[in-house]
Amino acid sequence: MTSRKRRDGPGPGTGTGTGRKRARARRGKEAGRKRETGLRSVAGQVFALEALIALLVIVAAVFVTFYQERRDTERDARARSLAVAEALANAPGIDEALASPDPTARLQDEVEAIRRATRLDFIAILGPDGMRYTDSQPDLIGRRAVGDLSRAAVDGESYTEIFEGAPNDAVRAVVPVVNDRGRIVGLVTSGIEVENIAHSVQDRLPLLAGAAGGALLVAVGGAALVSRRLRRQTHGLGPAEMTRMKEHHEAVLHAVREGVLIIDSDHRLLLANDEARRLLGLGAEAEQRHVSELGLDPRTVELLESGEAATDEVHRAGDRLLAVSVRPTLPHGSESGCVMTMRDTTELAALSGRAAVARDRLQLLYEAGVRIGTTLEVVRTAEELAEVAVPRFADFATVELLEPVLRGEEPSELVETAAASAEMRRTALSGVRPDQPLQPVGDTVRFDVPSTPMAVALATGHAVVQPELAAAEGWRAQDPEGAAQALAYGMHSLLTVPLLARGVVLGMANFWRADTREPFGEEDLSFAEELAARAAVAIDNARRFTREHAMAVSLQRSLLPRVLPDQSAVEVAYRYLPAKAGVGGDWFDVIPLPGARVALVVGDVVGHGLHAAAAMGRLRTAVHNFSTLDVPPDELLGHLDELTGRIDPRESEGTDGEGRRRDEGITGATCLYAIYDPASGLCTVASAGHPGPALVSSDGRVEFPELSPGLPLGLGLGEAPFASTELRLPEGSKLVLFTDGLLEDHGRDFDTGLGMLRSTLTRPDRSPEQVCADVLATLLPPSPRDDIALLVARTRLLDRERIAEWEVARDPSAVSPVRNAAAAKLSEWGLDGLAFSAELILSELITNAVRYGADPVRVRLLHDRALICEVSDGSSTSPHLRHAAATDEGGRGLYLVAQYAERWGTRYGRRGKTIWAELRAGAGDPEPAEAAMPDLDALEDLAW
């Protein structure tokens, strides 16, 4: 047992010790390799470089900061020293103290107190010769100051300097003391010792050192994080190993016969091998560009941007068909790039060529449907046809249309009877070059030779192709000189096709090739006919719209006022512009009213077309008719609203009523009605959903008065009453009425337009005509989408000398004095020829008011373009004209008024009524050829 223990004992013990040594050796070698790898790897080198750069930057920053701190402290010392010295040198009484027998006794204590307060190291007051009178060190008093003080003592200059000498080096300021006579009687020096400045800067060194250490730790920590991330990404490889890996990668990538593209998560190209560059035609600068910028087929771009996998999909690349496969670089990543491989499948080139042509033609037809007919203008539609065909189908394209088509009329030439010599107008021309030999736009084109391709196409109604123009004898005979120029230019092939719509020839389109070597062939005929058919429909629609638009404009202009009536209340100017897209229902009017008043009207029928124009005419006529009732604006709008509500339902009756209402836009109308009285300067305005007017004072101030807008006309809400607003207008004010088409347009709302109108109206001293011109120049859009009506009225006031008023008592005896006073006033106005008629009318009207009316009774004469006689009373009883019998003693009064007055009528106010009569000035004695009339006093006894 003892021997076994000896034999077995040392074995395990020896083995265990050897194993630990070997493990420690292995760990040491691995650590050495790791340290070696860390120093040799790209990550380790980047860490060392970043740490060194950070150390250098921090050291430089500390040095610059220390140097700047010292300069700032020295600059502050100079400024403080100079400020204290100048303040003391200019202190009151210092010159007297220097001139005293003992300046030291008077100044030493005060100067020392100032030094302690300003925390300077020294302040000394010297004589002009440099002798110290005061000093921070008393033992220096009476000694001469060291240094050159001539700049202050002789030149009188204040300055600062770095003084080196006894007692200490310092930043010193020297300022001369000048007495009242301008003589230098002393010097003031103050400053801070250089040693104290250095101590101040050195006190900040620990803070700078701490900040530098902290910055260094942050920089080293950041470098460590960057190095750690880089080590994970490079797997600890060194520069040589990464270079070898890159070379192997390049060799394998560019040696394969498949194209390879690597796209990042932002859909930008990271790498393309040589085969991919050859197949896709990529240049050397393609890397880092978005896939949509590489000139790839849209389907290929869509596939790469989708992030979806694909296998052997066929995509187009120029004239090649490629079999494309796509795989994401991170199968489970949310933001993954992709790798695309491609192979050239040239064996499908022939088949793909025919498919490409068909696809291009279909695409061109689709674009034609979108691009042709964007406007309802005949000429523009023809231009769009020419632009679509060039350059993808033809090098040059011309469009000729019949003259009636251009005017919007119905062409009468049918296909079966169309003559080859039909005269057309060249309407559009488009080409790949501007220097073409074809006839320009606007020329008349005729086809007199029946064998020309154009004449044949018109005769047959089908497209005709001429592959070789040089062999077209009929075309050359039509215009030998022009044909020779075209052939010399390079025109070699022609395809002509008639434009047919509803079996009627509208014109024709000609397609020419010059730069394209391939001539037109039979396979191009069906495409040209389809293209022409689509264009012909658009041209015919534009033609019919042109005709309807012209009819609507004619109707509208016939319904609008052509000449404004003569009146003295306002000076008026107006503008009316119909919409380019379709005639609307805007209108305006100026209507003379009794009593020298005038009504200003502006309105807008919602909708466009003939219906809107007709509705506008009816509303305008209704406004004229209702204005003869001489009612306030709010009542007139109430009548108009009721009439509009009766018109629209009646028009929409029947099975197609809803369709007509929807198509024609019977949705109501807006109207603004204003009555201006030049005798009082009062303007009464009411609105039915229409924008209120602008009021421009004579000094250019612009206001938009607050109105009760009311509801638009014809909405079936007649129970909602309209409201009137009264405005007092000084003479020379301008009332600007407009429709919303003036303010609103594409990209401009109503409030923006209102602001532009306000700024345009602010300039004073302009006539209404000038205001209209300026407003349209500022606000008129290039292509108005709605009608524009603008009415500018400058107010006038009737001269007070031309107005006569009397209060009449309700006593028959009061009639004669008023009549006599009126006769005297007429004589004063030079209207003696109207005296008899006026006295007769006044007698009848006043007598009626006295007998049958109510208080108050008033009489007013207005001398305007006519003589206006008005008699008002508080009764609302309406008189009416009747014919008395031969045996009646009364009842002829109103009949006589009607016979002698040019016009007469009654208007009602809020309380009472006014009976008025107009007598035309200069008409002489308008006595009717009847029996002899009784005298005026007897007429007062006649009843109505």
Side-chain angles (χ1 to χ4, degrees), residues 29-49:
K29 290 180 180 180
E30 290 176 0
R33 282 197 299 268
K34 288 182 179 179
R35 285 193 296 270
E36 184 180 0
T37 302
L39 293 175
R40 295 176 55 192
S41 66
V42 174
Q45 293 178 11
V46 168
F47 171 76
L49 183 60

Side-chain angles (χ1 to χ4, degrees), residues 2 30 55 75 100 224 227 309 314 337 445 468 483-484 492 532 539 543 557 561 605 614 682 737 792 895 908 924-925:
T2 304
E30 290 176 0
L55 178 62
R75 188 184 305 112
S100 66
S227 175
V314 178
V445 179
E468 294 293 335
H492 62 82
I539 291 174
R543 176 196 63 78
R557 292 196 180 279
V605 175
L682 193 65
L737 285 70
V792 180
Y895 175 77
Y908 295 90
D925 282 335

Side-chain angles (χ1 to χ4, degrees), residues 468-527:
E468 294 293 335
L469 276 177
E473 297 295 336
W475 175 73
R476 299 179 66 177
Q478 173 74 30
D479 182 10
E481 183 179 354
Q485 292 178 358
L487 292 174
Y489 184 80
M491 300 285 188
H492 62 82
S493 185
L494 166 68
L495 193 157
T496 181
V497 56
L499 300 175
L500 303 174
R502 298 175 292 106
V504 177
V505 175
L506 305 178
M508 66 185 317
N510 297 305
F511 305 106
W512 312 75
R513 283 185 178 174
D515 296 353
T516 303
R517 295 182 180 180
E518 182 182 357
F520 288 112
E522 295 297 328
E523 67 276 5
D524 296 317
L525 291 176
S526 60
F527 170 77

